Amino acid sequence: MTPIIGGAFILSGIEHSAGQIAAMTRKQSMAYAALEAGRVRGTYLAITALFLVVAVLLYFARLPEIREGSGDAVQEREKSPRKHWEVWRYKHLVKGVIAQFFYVGAQVGVTSFVIRFTQHLLPGTAERVAANFLKWHLIGFMIGRFAGSAMMKRIAPPRLLGFFAVCAFLCTWTAIAGSGAVSVWALVLLGFFDSIMFPTIFALSVKNLGVYTKVGSALLVMSIIGGALVPALMGYISDTSSIQKAFVVPLMSYAYVIYFALRGYKPVVEP
């Protein structure tokens, strides 16, 4: 919901073509730039203020102290590993960290490009109208999260992850190879198939880690750095080639998630 609410404040609805901007006087150009920057600045200052309020509330909140169990069995289960590097012996975790890196990168990259992609494939589409496709993409993500959780009661998580990953791959391929509304709606549908990937990859990756579960979980959380690197690579390809070719990056990312769902998730520990 945050991108939808944020878009309502950031998108001014005032758009000028490159020719109109070039025809502006210096004073008009500066006024237009100030208007656009002002909308972004105000929204992000409000978000910053919200984070500060939450930080203050957490600082003064009295949270319960977590203590280790006293029984021998509990102590054996909860003890920390002696050598953290040994977590890399769990090859399914390593593959899971890579899969999470690619998934988060693909998901953030696709979401970030929906508006530009729509305007490129459907020329003349206003920014606010293009933002509606992002809204539907995110609504599909929300629906998929609930629907996927329900389906997982009857379908094994790796199998459902594989199915969703294949569908995401096909949607991305359609966005690249198609044209017009077909490609745009393929991108919208992609939100639904992205929905279950993060929690499912996470759960499969930490399976059978034992005392290394905490370390493995930390590595999986750190892998979300893909959300910063993959969109940047997509942006570079988009600027130097075309926006559709930029989607080859998430296409390859979903291909790896398919591999993880089919074989990579299986627990393997090297001696």
Side-chain angles (χ1 to χ4, degrees):
M1 290 299 295
T2 302
I4 297 173
I5 297 173
F9 290 96
I10 293 175
L11 302 178
S12 65
I14 303 173
E15 294 185 67
H16 297 293
S17 65
Q20 289 174 318
I21 294 176
M24 288 181 180
T25 64
R26 179 178 176 81
K27 185 176 181 180
Q28 290 173 326
S29 179
M30 292 179 65
Y32 176 64
L35 172 66
E36 295 295 301
R39 294 184 68 88
V40 174
R41 181 172 59 248
T43 302
Y44 277 88
L45 284 174
I47 293 173
T48 302
L50 178 61
F51 280 134
L52 289 174
V53 170
V54 173
V56 171
L57 291 175
L58 289 176
Y59 179 79
F60 288 103
R62 294 185 177 182
L63 300 176
E65 183 179 354
I66 299 176
R67 298 180 181 276
E68 300 286 351
S70 57
D72 293 338
V74 174
Q75 290 180 357
E76 178 66 23
R77 184 173 65 250
E78 295 294 333
K79 69 180 181 180
S80 299
R82 295 180 178 179
K83 299 177 181 179
H84 291 291
W85 61 265
E86 289 185 350
V87 73
W88 298 110
R89 295 190 296 114
Y90 295 83
K91 293 306 175 183
H92 70 290
L93 170 67
V94 176
K95 295 171 184 176
V97 169
I98 298 172
Q100 202 74 289
F101 173 92
F102 282 129
Y103 158 68
V104 174
Q107 195 268 329
V108 174
V110 169
T111 304
S112 302
F113 275 65
V114 170
I115 294 178
R116 281 186 56 209
F117 187 88
T118 301
Q119 291 183 307
H120 176 77
L121 272 292
L122 300 176
T125 303
E127 195 174 50
R128 282 186 177 272
V129 175
N132 285 330
F133 288 96
L134 173 59
K135 176 180 68 177
W136 295 322
H137 174 92
L138 296 172
I139 290 174
F141 185 94
M142 180 183 67
I143 294 173
R145 182 61 64 87
F146 289 106
S149 298
M151 285 187 283
M152 229 171 265
K153 294 179 180 179
R154 295 190 176 185
I155 305 173
R159 184 173 298 179
L160 190 62
L161 175 64
F163 175 74
F164 272 51
V166 168
C167 291
F169 182 92
L170 294 175
C171 286
T172 308
W173 175 259
T174 303
I176 297 171
S179 61
V182 173
S183 290
V184 174
W185 282 108
L187 219 57
V188 171
L189 184 59
L190 182 55
F192 179 87
F193 296 114
D194 271 342
S195 58
I196 69 162
M197 292 190 187
F198 186 94
T200 309
I201 292 172
F202 196 104
L204 292 174
S205 300
V206 298
K207 187 175 182 180
N208 295 345
L209 292 188
V211 296
Y212 295 96
T213 300
K214 292 180 181 179
V215 179
S217 299
L219 292 172
L220 286 162
V221 171
M222 291 169 63
S223 69
I224 66 173
I225 188 65
L229 301 180
V230 171
L233 178 58
M234 290 177 65
Y236 175 79
I237 296 173
S238 177
D239 291 341
T240 57
S241 183
S242 73
I243 192 168
Q244 280 184 281
K245 289 182 180 179
F247 278 79
V248 169
V249 182
L251 185 74
M252 296 171 62
S253 299
Y254 291 125
Y256 188 86
V257 176
I258 292 173
Y259 160 73
F260 177 77
L262 295 179
R263 297 188 59 182
Y265 77 94
K266 297 178 180 179
V268 176
V269 183
E270 286 190 351

